[in-house]
Amino acid sequence: MSLVNQLGTVPILILLVVIFILLFKENKKANESLSRTISSLKDDVRKQLEAADARNEERNKKQDEVIETLNKRVSYVEQNYADKAYVQESFGGWRTEIRELGKRMDRFIFDLTRREKQ
């Protein structure tokens, strides 16, 4: 209080205004620096997103090519090969025939070994 009484109110108010102006300028500089940092980060993120989009676009093109190739193969198989019902009709008894052939082979081998022993 004694400083205020010695200098007076007007000089103290001027001093306070100067301090506020200096603080305001310092705050403005900090805001500008922060704005530059934010814009730099935005640019970096944008570049990274664009690169990621480009990589994803390439992957999508490759996947589309693979899908197209597989679709062509499936269509070819559907058009050029017999359907399941026809195959089962034509070759339905092959398992029985193989079993019967196996039994015949076993009997033949058994007969051969028996003849050799006699």
Side-chain angles (χ1 to χ4, degrees), residues 3-107:
L3 182 65
V4 174
N5 289 337
Q6 287 177 0
L7 295 177
T9 336
V10 175
I12 296 286
L13 288 176
I14 292 173
L15 181 64
L16 287 175
V17 168
V18 169
I19 291 173
F20 282 128
I21 290 173
L22 291 175
L23 288 174
F24 181 76
K25 285 183 180 181
E26 195 65 32
N27 188 20
K28 188 175 180 181
K29 288 179 186 177
N31 284 342
E32 289 173 357
S33 173
L34 185 61
S35 295
R36 284 192 301 270
T37 304
I38 288 173
S39 65
S40 172
L41 288 173
K42 282 181 183 179
D43 291 341
D44 290 343
V45 168
R46 183 181 44 78
K47 288 176 185 176
Q48 290 175 357
L49 286 174
E50 287 173 356
D53 284 343
R55 287 191 305 270
N56 285 337
E57 189 69 31
E58 289 176 23
R59 287 183 192 139
N60 288 342
K61 285 180 184 178
K62 289 178 184 177
Q63 288 175 352
D64 289 342
E65 290 172 3
V66 169
I67 288 171
E68 184 65 30
T69 302
L70 292 175
N71 282 335
K72 287 179 183 177
R73 288 181 182 175
V74 167
S75 296
Y76 181 79
V77 168
E78 288 175 346
Q79 291 173 1
N80 296 321
Y81 289 97
D83 61 345
K84 186 177 179 181
Y86 174 74
V87 171
Q88 287 178 347
E89 271 180 34
S90 300
F91 302 103
W94 64 272
R95 290 185 181 143
T96 307
E97 293 174 9
I98 289 176
R99 261 187 256 134
E100 186 62 35
L101 182 61
K103 288 178 186 177
R104 287 182 188 175
M105 289 171 60
D106 289 342
R107 276 188 249 135

